[in-house]
Amino acid sequence: MAITIDLNADLGEGFGRWSLTDDEALLAVVTSANVACGFHAGDPSTMRRVCAGAVAAGVRIGAQVSYRDLAGFGRRSMEVPPDELADEITYQIGALDAFARAEGDRVRYVKPHGALYNRAVHDQEQAAAVVEAVHRFDPALPILGLPGSLLLQRAAERGLTAVPEAFADRAYTRDGTLVSRRQPGAVHDDPQVVLGQAIQIACQRTVTASSGETVAVDARSLCLHGDTPGAARLARVVRDALEAAGVEIVSFA
Amino acid sequence: MAITIDLNADLGEGFGRWSLTDDEALLAVVTSANVACGFHAGDPSTMRRVCAGAVAAGVRIGAQVSYRDLAGFGRRSMEVPPDELADEITYQIGALDAFARAEGDRVRYVKPHGALYNRAVHDQEQAAAVVEAVHRFDPALPILGLPGSLLLQRAAERGLTAVPEAFADRAYTRDGTLVSRRQPGAVHDDPQVVLGQAIQIACQRTVTASSGETVAVDARSLCLHGDTPGAARLARVVRDALEAAGVEIVSFA
Amino acid sequence: MAITIDLNADLGEGFGRWSLTDDEALLAVVTSANVACGFHAGDPSTMRRVCAGAVAAGVRIGAQVSYRDLAGFGRRSMEVPPDELADEITYQIGALDAFARAEGDRVRYVKPHGALYNRAVHDQEQAAAVVEAVHRFDPALPILGLPGSLLLQRAAERGLTAVPEAFADRAYTRDGTLVSRRQPGAVHDDPQVVLGQAIQIACQRTVTASSGETVAVDARSLCLHGDTPGAARLARVVRDALEAAGVEIVSFA
Amino acid sequence: MAITIDLNADLGEGFGRWSLTDDEALLAVVTSANVACGFHAGDPSTMRRVCAGAVAAGVRIGAQVSYRDLAGFGRRSMEVPPDELADEITYQIGALDAFARAEGDRVRYVKPHGALYNRAVHDQEQAAAVVEAVHRFDPALPILGLPGSLLLQRAAERGLTAVPEAFADRAYTRDGTLVSRRQPGAVHDDPQVVLGQAIQIACQRTVTASSGETVAVDARSLCLHGDTPGAARLARVVRDALEAAGVEIVSFA
């Protein structure tokens, strides 16, 4: 049986006059596109273009849902009451789904963005709110998130498909969690290390922690970053290396 | 065969802490609810509540789409490029549809709001953009608008159902158009005049112009205003008067 | 020497089509107007009108600064990096100051709103950010806040005037802090209790805690709520009762 | 007497995560910085940084005021009632002034952006609203705009200093107006043409129209574009060429 993995990246993270992600290049690499839905980024025309490109490229469309925070790019954690948060997420999924359907497909999964992603790792109420919104929209939609997060636990408990992801360019602790970005060495700069970690995650389902131990990492998808200079090129190289290692790149959704 | 007419009103026109329309009272009167979708009013939680109330009351849910203009309540005409406008409308319909579906129904029609409503009367490009967005979302969705407007003409040409509406509380010219709000007497203050005009529109398909002539008015729906003091009560009285006159109140959608 | 106290209330908390506070009635009662600056409420035209009214009434204009959160009315706590928060506050003070100066006065003090007010009670970084923004704008501007808060401590340490306020309609604990709004009895419903507490705060600098003890309360200003039904009338009654008790109502700013 | 001209460019046109203009490079070239004030671009932290950089570089700070339209980058003309427009402009000037003053300077002039710039060329009410807002803020502030525009006429009539600008990279008609961007050849691509036109405007106060005639152009400032690739470098070259031609580059403000 072939080893398979999904590649996901954030796309459509511009807004109006501003662009950020190289959507065209990323669509040629990933199998799952986390499309910004207007709350942290993503104007309607960009959403349409990314959906059209994703359908043309056979890439799955996911709703990258966020706090309502354009000024902070969704990176500022917010105390949103759970009901309100669920409604804000429903709104975003619905908006994206209209573009996906207009292009002949539909939203295939949901992934929280930025501060909401991080908060749903440990915040019971907000994790439950995300799950509730997805369940309400379509109980068949998977949620993509961090292995071990409350978000994926709640999703599984509610009967949703919980899809864990790993990072090729982030350092891991011996506990299998990510080294905080505030620590030195949290992000791998060396492309060879990134490639090696990608292949190790896909083929051995492990990473080498920064402390040296080999640690199990359960991941059905690899998250590639798309908003840094050279990101799209690195993503291409990672995909090529995975395929050269015999890994089949297929979406989970 | 019974005389029938639809009653529509704008609902859910609050935003966060602010409320405007008496949604509960209006849902007991109208058959079609024009629900604000977040661009001129309408936060996600209000959208959910109004959709839930509409489904419970058997009221049809329509997407009241607008320019992106919270500060101006969608009343400031904007030069939005047609493609961009179509995308902004698609976004709004999709967002509302998610709430309608979560409550077991779906968006049943589309009505432009405020400045977009007025502009789509005479602006070829913007009228076509609204029609394009609706067609793209679902070619079976009717568009509700002003009789004789370019919007309804384009809708019909594109194969959409064009639903003309009339106003019980607005004065009409001998041409069958609305007296401009800048003119004195543009809005009927006297409830008896409003009731009389409502019945005349429903039963005789005419209005009495401010100049005295009887003028034909083609309308499948009566628009009731919901954002003025006493609006919900007046709407109730109009409905009662119509029913007393033997008119059956049924949605077009 | 006469007993004096300031009366402050939130004003201008509408946005565009939406209104909330009865600004005209409140301006006839308070001596200090906390004017919303556009981030949680307060469109520019409302800001101008309130400033004009305040100057006409001899009421001091304060900048009611908030997180950038129109949808949540500034009631959702946010993890805003301190530098960014200070800049967002500077922006708001400057915007309001333009209207105050156009009317012949200027911003006289600053009071954080909602979640920012509550957070600056205990969050070192955010309290310091508010203080920094005010100091940068004008080191002579007082900050109005909760007695014992980190905000007022930091303000005093930085050389700013820290003005403590108390609440006539909120229950206090034996520690002199406010009973949480989640507890029953947190807000006094009985106008007589409100009047009594107002006079007690002004004349004796104490409150009667919900547990029965008499507790010292250091306050140079009484905060009157303006966004509830009947709020303006209650505010009027409080002022009349204070004056009848011989208290002189004068602004601190 | 030396020939002098001012160089102005739009700066700070990012928003939060998004950047657009190379502010650092432009501040080394221009004498007047049109700083975005938050309505079409320009988050508070960017405003502070640009003001700090401008003061450090001896560049004059101007308020680049816009319609409230982040999604459309202020490029969509809007029917804003004049009083409301004046208030929105006052708000923006005040906000920027707070940052300018925190850095030891102040707003020195006002220039409308995008659709508002274009509309104030011919729209009486909106031109008057801009002038009113500037006059209200400070009657000593110049307005920078298009020669022959209603904006500059109204400004002069109201006693404000009206500063006309010209464009080195735009083609002109024989009437001395700009060739519409919808026409081919509206923007000069050839850097040599841009340099030549800059020098001709500065030294001879003329341009060569696309039809070949030499046309008088009254300009105290040259507008350099900052939001295109290579813009900052071209701006540098234009400045060097002007100085080599003996033109002194000094701000009008």
Side-chain angles (χ1 to χ4, degrees), chain C residues 37 45 48 68 87 91 99, chain D residues 37 44-45 48 87 91 99:
Chain C
C37 298
S45 295
R48 180 180 47 72
R68 190 193 285 267
D87 294 335
Y91 185 97
F99 293 106
Chain D
C37 298
S45 295
R48 180 179 48 71
D87 294 333
Y91 185 96
F99 293 106

Side-chain angles (χ1 to χ4, degrees), chain C residues 171-177 196-197 199-218:
Chain C
Y172 279 79
T173 69
R174 74 182 69 182
D175 304 322
T177 61
Q197 184 158 313
I199 292 169
Q200 186 179 351
I201 291 169
C203 299
Q204 284 143 43
R205 307 285 161 183
T206 63
V207 289
T208 304
S210 41
S211 46
E213 293 90 341
T214 298
V215 184
V217 164
D218 173 32

Side-chain angles (χ1 to χ4, degrees), chain A residues 170-180 183 207-217:
Chain A
R170 291 292 300 276
Y172 279 79
T173 69
R174 74 182 68 184
D175 304 323
T177 61
L178 298 173
V179 172
S180 164
Q183 306 287 332
V207 290
T208 304
S210 40
S211 47
E213 292 91 341
T214 299
V215 184
V217 164

